[in-house]
Amino acid sequence: MSDFEVENPILSSPFEEPREHWWILEGEKAERRSGRRPAMYFFRDPKAVAVGQGKQPSLAIELKLVTRIRGLVKSWREQKYPGASRTTRELLDYWRREGREKRLFFAQLEATETVIFLREARGDFLQGVEIPRDDPSETQKAEGFAGFPRQACKLATGSGKTTVMAMLAAWSILNKATDRGDARFSDVVLVVCPNVTIRDRLRELDPELGASSLYRTRDLVPEHLMPALRQGSVVVTNWHVFEPQTAHAGGQTGKVIKTGVMKETRQRIHFAEENTSGRGKRYLTRGTFESLVAGGTVQPLTGTEKTDAAGNVISVEVRERRYVESDAAVVARILGREVGGKQNLLVLNDEAHHAYRIR
Protein backbone atom coordinates (compact mmCIF):
# COMPACT_ATOMS: atom_id res chain seq x y z
CA MET A 1 0.00 0.00 0.00
CA SER A 2 1.42 3.42 -0.98
CA ASP A 3 1.47 6.52 1.23
CA PHE A 4 -1.56 7.83 -0.69
CA GLU A 5 -3.75 4.80 0.00
CA VAL A 6 -5.72 4.13 3.18
CA GLU A 7 -7.82 1.12 4.13
CA ASN A 8 -10.90 3.13 5.10
CA PRO A 9 -11.05 6.36 3.07
CA ILE A 10 -14.62 7.32 4.10
CA LEU A 11 -14.67 8.58 7.68
CA SER A 12 -17.76 10.81 7.79
CA SER A 13 -21.39 10.77 6.68
CA PRO A 14 -22.09 12.86 3.54
CA PHE A 15 -25.09 14.33 5.35
CA GLU A 16 -23.12 15.79 8.27
CA GLU A 17 -20.21 18.16 8.73
CA PRO A 18 -16.97 16.08 8.63
CA ARG A 19 -15.72 15.00 12.05
CA GLU A 20 -12.52 13.32 10.87
CA HIS A 21 -10.23 13.50 7.87
CA TRP A 22 -7.12 11.91 6.43
CA TRP A 23 -4.06 14.15 6.44
CA ILE A 24 -2.01 13.17 3.40
CA LEU A 25 1.28 14.77 2.40
CA GLU A 26 3.58 13.63 -0.37
CA GLY A 27 6.30 11.35 0.96
CA GLU A 28 4.66 10.93 4.38
CA LYS A 29 2.43 8.25 5.87
CA ALA A 30 -1.28 9.12 5.82
CA GLU A 31 -2.51 10.28 9.24
CA ARG A 32 -6.08 10.08 10.55
CA ARG A 33 -7.00 13.33 12.28
CA SER A 34 -10.07 14.55 14.15
CA GLY A 35 -12.03 17.57 12.96
CA ARG A 36 -12.60 19.00 9.53
CA ARG A 37 -9.86 19.28 6.93
CA PRO A 38 -8.52 22.87 6.81
CA ALA A 39 -9.32 24.92 3.73
CA MET A 40 -6.10 25.00 1.72
CA TYR A 41 -4.44 24.32 -1.59
CA PHE A 42 -1.06 22.86 -2.51
CA PHE A 43 1.40 24.79 -4.65
CA ARG A 44 4.53 23.62 -6.40
CA ASP A 45 6.62 26.22 -8.22
CA PRO A 46 6.97 24.87 -11.79
CA LYS A 47 10.21 26.83 -12.23
CA ALA A 48 11.91 25.50 -9.10
CA VAL A 49 14.71 22.95 -9.39
CA ALA A 50 13.67 19.42 -8.46
CA VAL A 51 14.94 18.09 -5.14
CA GLY A 52 17.20 15.08 -5.78
CA GLN A 53 15.65 12.70 -8.29
CA GLY A 54 12.06 13.43 -7.28
CA LYS A 55 9.79 16.43 -7.53
CA GLN A 56 9.91 19.48 -5.33
CA PRO A 57 7.59 19.01 -2.30
CA SER A 58 4.29 20.89 -2.55
CA LEU A 59 3.70 23.82 -0.24
CA ALA A 60 0.40 23.74 1.71
CA ILE A 61 -1.18 27.21 1.72
CA GLU A 62 -4.17 27.81 3.99
CA LEU A 63 -7.18 29.71 2.63
CA LYS A 64 -7.71 31.75 5.79
CA LEU A 65 -10.73 33.67 4.50
CA VAL A 66 -12.49 30.42 3.59
CA THR A 67 -11.82 28.99 7.04
CA ARG A 68 -13.20 32.12 8.66
CA ILE A 69 -16.33 32.18 6.49
CA ARG A 70 -17.00 28.51 7.28
CA GLY A 71 -17.11 29.34 10.99
CA LEU A 72 -19.32 32.37 10.46
CA VAL A 73 -21.78 30.43 8.32
CA LYS A 74 -22.00 27.72 10.98
CA SER A 75 -22.72 30.32 13.67
CA TRP A 76 -25.28 32.02 11.40
CA ARG A 77 -27.01 28.66 10.84
CA GLU A 78 -27.09 27.84 14.56
CA GLN A 79 -28.70 31.25 15.26
CA LYS A 80 -31.46 30.58 12.67
CA TYR A 81 -30.12 32.82 9.89
CA PRO A 82 -30.48 36.36 11.30
CA GLY A 83 -30.95 38.92 8.53
CA ALA A 84 -32.34 36.47 5.98
CA SER A 85 -35.67 37.23 4.32
CA ARG A 86 -38.81 35.25 5.12
CA THR A 87 -38.61 33.55 1.70
CA THR A 88 -34.98 32.56 2.28
CA ARG A 89 -35.72 31.13 5.72
CA GLU A 90 -38.62 29.14 4.31
CA LEU A 91 -36.33 27.57 1.70
CA LEU A 92 -33.50 26.88 4.17
CA ASP A 93 -35.92 25.22 6.60
CA TYR A 94 -37.46 23.22 3.74
CA TRP A 95 -34.07 21.93 2.63
CA ARG A 96 -33.06 20.93 6.17
CA ARG A 97 -36.40 19.65 7.49
CA GLU A 98 -36.59 16.38 9.43
CA GLY A 99 -37.96 13.35 7.63
CA ARG A 100 -36.94 14.61 4.21
CA GLU A 101 -37.07 11.69 1.75
CA LYS A 102 -34.42 13.09 -0.61
CA ARG A 103 -31.81 14.34 1.83
CA LEU A 104 -29.29 16.89 0.65
CA PHE A 105 -25.58 16.46 1.26
CA PHE A 106 -23.91 18.67 3.84
CA ALA A 107 -21.64 20.02 1.08
CA GLN A 108 -24.67 21.08 -0.99
CA LEU A 109 -26.35 22.80 1.92
CA GLU A 110 -23.19 24.57 3.11
CA ALA A 111 -22.28 25.79 -0.38
CA THR A 112 -25.76 27.25 -0.87
CA GLU A 113 -25.87 28.73 2.62
CA THR A 114 -22.48 30.37 2.10
CA VAL A 115 -23.60 32.24 -1.03
CA ILE A 116 -26.81 33.30 0.74
CA PHE A 117 -24.85 34.30 3.85
CA LEU A 118 -22.64 36.66 1.86
CA ARG A 119 -25.76 38.32 0.43
CA GLU A 120 -28.22 38.36 3.32
CA ALA A 121 -26.52 37.85 6.67
CA ARG A 122 -26.95 40.51 9.30
CA GLY A 123 -24.21 43.13 9.23
CA ASP A 124 -22.39 42.01 12.38
CA PHE A 125 -21.78 38.57 10.83
CA LEU A 126 -20.20 40.13 7.74
CA GLN A 127 -17.97 42.54 9.66
CA GLY A 128 -14.45 42.35 8.21
CA VAL A 129 -15.35 39.83 5.49
CA GLU A 130 -13.84 41.38 2.38
CA ILE A 131 -14.03 39.43 -0.89
CA PRO A 132 -12.10 41.14 -3.73
CA ARG A 133 -14.14 42.09 -6.76
CA ASP A 134 -13.33 40.57 -10.15
CA ASP A 135 -11.97 43.71 -11.80
CA PRO A 136 -10.98 44.12 -15.46
CA SER A 137 -7.55 45.18 -16.70
CA GLU A 138 -6.50 48.82 -16.65
CA THR A 139 -7.04 49.00 -20.42
CA GLN A 140 -10.57 47.68 -20.08
CA LYS A 141 -11.29 50.11 -17.23
CA ALA A 142 -10.25 52.95 -19.54
CA GLU A 143 -12.78 51.63 -22.06
CA GLY A 144 -15.56 51.85 -19.48
CA PHE A 145 -15.74 48.27 -18.22
CA ALA A 146 -16.58 47.75 -14.55
CA GLY A 147 -15.89 44.87 -12.22
CA PHE A 148 -18.43 42.64 -10.50
CA PRO A 149 -18.57 40.42 -7.40
CA ARG A 150 -17.81 36.76 -8.04
CA GLN A 151 -17.77 33.87 -5.59
CA ALA A 152 -16.69 30.27 -6.16
CA CYS A 153 -18.08 27.10 -4.59
CA LYS A 154 -15.66 24.22 -4.98
CA LEU A 155 -17.37 20.86 -4.68
CA ALA A 156 -16.05 17.39 -5.36
CA THR A 157 -17.09 15.38 -8.40
CA GLY A 158 -20.35 13.59 -7.64
CA SER A 159 -21.38 15.93 -4.82
CA GLY A 160 -24.29 17.38 -6.82
CA LYS A 161 -23.23 20.77 -8.18
CA THR A 162 -26.29 21.02 -10.46
CA THR A 163 -28.55 20.72 -7.43
CA VAL A 164 -26.66 23.59 -5.78
CA MET A 165 -27.24 25.72 -8.87
CA ALA A 166 -30.95 24.89 -8.73
CA MET A 167 -31.10 25.85 -5.04
CA LEU A 168 -29.45 29.21 -5.75
CA ALA A 169 -31.67 29.88 -8.78
CA ALA A 170 -34.78 29.18 -6.69
CA TRP A 171 -33.50 31.39 -3.85
CA SER A 172 -32.87 34.35 -6.16
CA ILE A 173 -36.04 34.08 -8.27
CA LEU A 174 -38.43 33.50 -5.37
CA ASN A 175 -36.99 36.40 -3.38
CA LYS A 176 -37.34 38.68 -6.42
CA ALA A 177 -40.92 37.51 -6.99
CA THR A 178 -41.70 38.38 -3.36
CA ASP A 179 -40.10 41.84 -3.48
CA ARG A 180 -39.54 43.27 -6.97
CA GLY A 181 -37.73 46.28 -5.53
CA ASP A 182 -35.00 44.30 -3.78
CA ALA A 183 -31.86 44.74 -5.93
CA ARG A 184 -30.03 41.96 -4.08
CA PHE A 185 -31.93 39.39 -6.11
CA SER A 186 -32.62 38.70 -9.77
CA ASP A 187 -35.41 36.82 -11.53
CA VAL A 188 -33.10 36.11 -14.48
CA VAL A 189 -30.49 33.40 -13.96
CA LEU A 190 -27.87 32.86 -16.65
CA VAL A 191 -26.18 29.46 -16.43
CA VAL A 192 -22.91 29.24 -18.37
CA CYS A 193 -21.38 25.83 -19.06
CA PRO A 194 -18.32 24.52 -20.97
CA ASN A 195 -19.95 22.64 -23.86
CA VAL A 196 -23.15 21.67 -25.68
CA THR A 197 -23.43 18.25 -24.00
CA ILE A 198 -23.50 19.74 -20.51
CA ARG A 199 -25.80 22.51 -21.73
CA ASP A 200 -28.41 19.96 -22.78
CA ARG A 201 -28.11 18.13 -19.45
CA LEU A 202 -28.66 21.37 -17.51
CA ARG A 203 -32.03 21.96 -19.17
CA GLU A 204 -33.56 20.48 -16.02
CA LEU A 205 -32.82 23.83 -14.35
CA ASP A 206 -35.65 25.42 -16.36
CA PRO A 207 -38.65 26.04 -14.05
CA GLU A 208 -40.96 25.73 -17.06
CA LEU A 209 -40.40 21.96 -16.96
CA GLY A 210 -42.58 21.90 -13.85
CA ALA A 211 -42.70 18.43 -12.28
CA SER A 212 -39.83 17.30 -14.54
CA SER A 213 -37.52 20.09 -13.38
CA LEU A 214 -34.84 19.61 -10.75
CA TYR A 215 -36.84 21.80 -8.37
CA ARG A 216 -39.44 19.04 -8.04
CA THR A 217 -37.46 15.87 -8.80
CA ARG A 218 -35.00 16.78 -6.01
CA ASP A 219 -37.73 18.37 -3.85
CA LEU A 220 -36.02 21.76 -3.70
CA VAL A 221 -39.10 23.98 -4.00
CA PRO A 222 -42.50 23.31 -2.36
CA GLU A 223 -45.35 22.75 -4.79
CA HIS A 224 -47.15 25.94 -3.72
CA LEU A 225 -44.10 28.06 -4.68
CA MET A 226 -43.68 26.65 -8.21
CA PRO A 227 -46.01 29.25 -9.85
CA ALA A 228 -43.86 32.04 -8.38
CA LEU A 229 -40.68 30.26 -9.52
CA ARG A 230 -42.02 30.14 -13.09
CA GLN A 231 -42.20 33.95 -13.05
CA GLY A 232 -38.42 33.91 -13.43
CA SER A 233 -36.20 32.90 -16.34
CA VAL A 234 -33.30 30.45 -16.36
CA VAL A 235 -31.17 30.70 -19.51
CA VAL A 236 -28.64 27.89 -20.06
CA THR A 237 -25.89 28.35 -22.65
CA ASN A 238 -22.24 27.48 -23.29
CA TRP A 239 -19.60 30.16 -22.84
CA HIS A 240 -18.51 30.17 -26.49
CA VAL A 241 -21.57 32.23 -27.49
CA PHE A 242 -20.25 35.27 -25.63
CA GLU A 243 -17.69 36.01 -28.33
CA PRO A 244 -19.11 38.98 -30.30
CA GLN A 245 -20.01 37.73 -33.76
CA THR A 246 -18.22 39.13 -36.79
CA ALA A 247 -20.06 39.74 -40.05
CA HIS A 248 -18.37 38.02 -43.01
CA ALA A 249 -19.04 37.63 -46.68
CA GLY A 250 -18.53 34.02 -47.73
CA GLY A 251 -18.04 32.27 -44.40
CA GLN A 252 -15.82 32.56 -41.36
CA THR A 253 -12.61 33.37 -43.20
CA GLY A 254 -14.06 35.51 -45.95
CA LYS A 255 -13.85 39.25 -46.45
CA VAL A 256 -15.07 41.26 -43.46
CA ILE A 257 -18.23 43.34 -43.78
CA LYS A 258 -17.72 46.64 -41.97
CA THR A 259 -20.88 46.66 -39.87
CA GLY A 260 -21.29 46.80 -36.12
CA VAL A 261 -18.62 48.07 -33.72
CA MET A 262 -14.96 48.16 -34.73
CA LYS A 263 -12.67 46.64 -32.11
CA GLU A 264 -8.90 46.47 -32.29
CA THR A 265 -6.98 44.07 -30.05
CA ARG A 266 -3.45 42.77 -29.71
CA GLN A 267 -2.96 39.12 -28.88
CA ARG A 268 -0.75 36.11 -29.51
CA ILE A 269 -1.93 33.47 -31.97
CA HIS A 270 -0.72 29.87 -31.52
CA PHE A 271 -0.72 27.54 -34.52
CA ALA A 272 -2.54 24.23 -34.09
CA GLU A 273 -4.48 21.53 -35.93
CA GLU A 274 -7.84 23.19 -35.29
CA ASN A 275 -9.32 26.57 -34.44
CA THR A 276 -10.04 26.74 -30.72
CA SER A 277 -9.19 28.47 -27.47
CA GLY A 278 -8.23 27.15 -24.07
CA ARG A 279 -6.35 28.06 -20.91
CA GLY A 280 -6.28 31.69 -21.92
CA LYS A 281 -4.78 31.05 -25.37
CA ARG A 282 -6.15 31.28 -28.91
CA TYR A 283 -5.27 28.61 -31.49
CA LEU A 284 -5.68 28.82 -35.29
CA THR A 285 -4.76 26.56 -38.16
CA ARG A 286 -2.24 28.06 -40.57
CA GLY A 287 -4.89 28.08 -43.30
CA THR A 288 -7.32 30.10 -41.19
CA PHE A 289 -4.54 32.44 -40.10
CA GLU A 290 -3.44 33.11 -43.69
CA SER A 291 -7.04 33.78 -44.75
CA LEU A 292 -7.49 36.28 -41.94
CA VAL A 293 -4.25 38.04 -42.90
CA ALA A 294 -5.29 38.14 -46.56
CA GLY A 295 -8.71 39.52 -45.62
CA GLY A 296 -7.17 42.35 -43.60
CA THR A 297 -8.58 41.20 -40.28
CA VAL A 298 -5.23 40.23 -38.76
CA GLN A 299 -1.87 41.98 -39.07
CA PRO A 300 1.21 40.02 -37.85
CA LEU A 301 3.64 42.12 -35.80
CA THR A 302 7.24 41.89 -36.97
CA GLY A 303 9.71 40.41 -34.52
CA THR A 304 7.12 38.68 -32.33
CA GLU A 305 7.42 35.18 -33.80
CA LYS A 306 8.30 32.22 -31.57
CA THR A 307 9.82 29.08 -33.07
CA ASP A 308 10.35 25.47 -32.03
CA ALA A 309 13.68 23.62 -32.01
CA ALA A 310 13.38 22.96 -35.76
CA GLY A 311 12.86 26.64 -36.56
CA ASN A 312 9.13 26.38 -37.31
CA VAL A 313 7.03 29.36 -36.26
CA ILE A 314 4.65 28.16 -33.53
CA SER A 315 3.10 31.49 -32.51
CA VAL A 316 3.04 35.14 -33.44
CA GLU A 317 1.65 38.31 -31.95
CA VAL A 318 -0.94 40.10 -34.06
CA ARG A 319 -3.04 43.22 -34.19
CA GLU A 320 -6.60 42.21 -34.96
CA ARG A 321 -9.28 44.56 -36.22
CA ARG A 322 -12.82 43.28 -36.28
CA TYR A 323 -16.29 44.67 -36.77
CA VAL A 324 -18.44 42.90 -34.25
CA GLU A 325 -21.83 43.03 -32.59
CA SER A 326 -22.41 45.77 -30.06
CA ASP A 327 -22.71 44.79 -26.40
CA ALA A 328 -26.47 45.31 -26.60
CA ALA A 329 -26.68 42.99 -29.61
CA VAL A 330 -24.72 40.26 -27.81
CA VAL A 331 -26.98 40.46 -24.76
CA ALA A 332 -30.12 40.39 -26.93
CA ARG A 333 -28.83 37.36 -28.87
CA ILE A 334 -28.01 35.36 -25.73
CA LEU A 335 -30.80 36.36 -23.37
CA GLY A 336 -33.50 37.31 -25.87
CA ARG A 337 -35.32 40.63 -26.17
CA GLU A 338 -37.68 39.80 -23.32
CA VAL A 339 -35.12 39.57 -20.50
CA GLY A 340 -32.09 41.18 -22.16
CA GLY A 341 -32.89 44.56 -20.66
CA LYS A 342 -32.68 43.47 -17.03
CA GLN A 343 -30.29 45.53 -14.94
CA ASN A 344 -29.00 42.71 -12.75
CA LEU A 345 -28.54 38.99 -13.30
CA LEU A 346 -27.45 36.01 -11.28
CA VAL A 347 -24.77 34.28 -13.36
CA LEU A 348 -23.84 30.69 -12.50
CA ASN A 349 -20.65 29.52 -14.20
CA ASP A 350 -20.80 25.72 -14.19
CA GLU A 351 -17.38 24.04 -14.07
CA ALA A 352 -15.70 27.43 -14.10
CA HIS A 353 -12.22 25.90 -14.22
CA HIS A 354 -12.86 25.22 -17.94
CA ALA A 355 -13.24 28.93 -18.74
CA TYR A 356 -10.12 31.07 -19.01
CA ARG A 357 -9.94 34.74 -19.81
CA ILE A 358 -7.69 35.42 -22.82
CA ARG A 359 -5.16 38.04 -21.81
Side-chain angles (χ1 to χ4, degrees), residues 12 27 38-39 42 45 67 73 107 121 134 146 148 195 298 313 325 341:
S12 304
F42 292 91
D45 187 351
T67 300
V73 171
D134 189 358
F148 56 90
N195 56 52
V298 166
V313 177
E325 296 172 295

Side-chain angles (χ1 to χ4, degrees), residues 4 40 69 122 143 148 167 260 269 276 284 336 344 353-354:
F4 298 101
M40 62 174 55
I69 290 176
R122 199 174 62 200
E143 295 175 357
F148 56 90
M167 294 164 75
I269 300 295
T276 185
L284 294 178
N344 65 324
H353 57 283
H354 285 295

